[in-house]
Amino acid sequence: MSRRLVSLTLDTLEDLPRPCRECVYWELDPVSADRACAAGDPGLEKEAWVSQTLLEWGSCGKLVYVDGMPAGFVMYAPPAYVPRSMAFPTSPVSADAVLLMNATVVPAFAGGGLGRMLVQGVARDLTKRGIKAIEAFGDAKFGDGAEDDPTRACVAPADFFLSVGFKTVRPHPRYPRLRLELRTALSWKSDVEYALEKLLGSMSPESLLRPVRPAPATRSTS
């Protein structure tokens, strides 16, 4: 079984599960989201948000494929790009953190460690970009709400975040805010790989390719 992690682009956006592809729960404020749904074009709003975020800030999502099939995804961005982030009772997100908006694994692939793989992929990306932490709003009562409650699909279980290393920074009976310090999110192997990549990246191609000059011969005295 092969697993592959890729960044979200306008092309891979189409591989999100259909309900998520049409959902703008995070991308718009509550009033604008209701208006977009009533107008029947939330998918266009989603695409516009992804396009703007990619252009202005950079990578804002990861998808994981299992044997070529989309198996899960995460989306993330600075809170300034996520209007819904201010609607939670445990807002605001810390100034030094990026918000992990959602984390979804297709039920057929659940239990295989894909959620942790996605979070670690986000951690590696953000560490390279100088971000210190990831924060998320978790649902402490996931699965207990009504069937038509949008947070059932849009807000990941708090237990999931805790299981992959997040710590609660602001408790709440329903929507605690959780935080993951990025240096603790990476395994020792990943840290070594990142350090090596950073070291090689600091070297110019000329210095990498320049032949080593032999040491000058010394005259022996006998």
Side-chain angles (χ1 to χ4, degrees):
M1 181 174 66
S2 66
R3 303 193 299 181
R4 181 170 58 99
L5 195 67
V6 304
S7 294
L8 178 69
T9 65
L10 291 179
D11 294 328
T12 57
L13 178 64
E14 300 307 319
D15 286 339
L16 267 58
R18 183 51 49 186
C20 300
R21 172 63 181 85
E22 303 292 331
C23 178
V24 288
Y25 177 85
W26 289 102
E27 293 82 358
L28 301 177
D29 64 81
V31 174
S32 297
D34 289 343
R35 187 181 299 121
C37 291
D41 60 354
L44 293 177
E45 294 286 353
K46 182 99 167 186
E47 182 175 338
W49 183 90
V50 170
S51 178
Q52 179 182 5
T53 306
L54 286 171
L55 286 172
E56 296 180 356
W57 184 68
S59 180
C60 58
K62 297 287 182 184
L63 292 90
V64 62
Y65 294 81
V66 175
D67 292 336
M69 297 183 60
F73 76 97
V74 292
M75 294 182 67
Y76 52 96
Y81 284 84
V82 190
R84 176 73 66 162
S85 67
M86 294 306 298
F88 285 81
T90 48
S91 298
V93 174
S94 301
D96 64 347
V98 160
L99 177 65
L100 185 63
M101 299 151 59
N102 47 20
T104 299
V105 173
V106 175
F109 297 98
L114 297 182
R116 182 179 294 273
M117 180 179 177
L118 285 163
V119 171
Q120 288 182 335
V122 175
R124 281 191 288 270
D125 174 35
L126 295 180
T127 298
K128 294 176 183 179
R129 295 159 72 175
I131 305 299
K132 293 183 178 180
I134 307 171
E135 292 191 358
F137 298 104
D139 188 348
K141 297 183 179 181
F142 187 83
D144 294 344
E147 291 293 328
D148 59 351
D149 183 356
T151 61
R152 285 170 55 87
C154 300
V155 183
D159 287 345
F160 164 73
F161 292 118
L162 293 172
S163 72
V164 295
F166 282 73
K167 305 295 183 184
T168 302
V169 292
R170 189 170 179 188
H172 187 268
R174 180 70 189 271
Y175 299 118
R177 179 158 52 90
L178 306 104
R179 181 179 174 95
L180 179 66
E181 302 293 340
L182 286 181
R183 298 308 298 172
T184 67
L186 304 177
S187 66
W188 179 85
K189 180 179 179 182
S190 296
D191 283 341
V192 172
E193 290 173 345
Y194 169 61
L196 180 60
E197 181 178 346
K198 185 175 181 181
L199 174 64
L200 294 177
S202 67
M203 299 180 180
S204 65
E206 292 79 7
S207 66
L208 292 174
L209 297 175
R210 186 182 301 124
V212 178
R213 295 181 179 178
T218 58
R219 179 179 301 175
S220 93
T221 58
S222 57

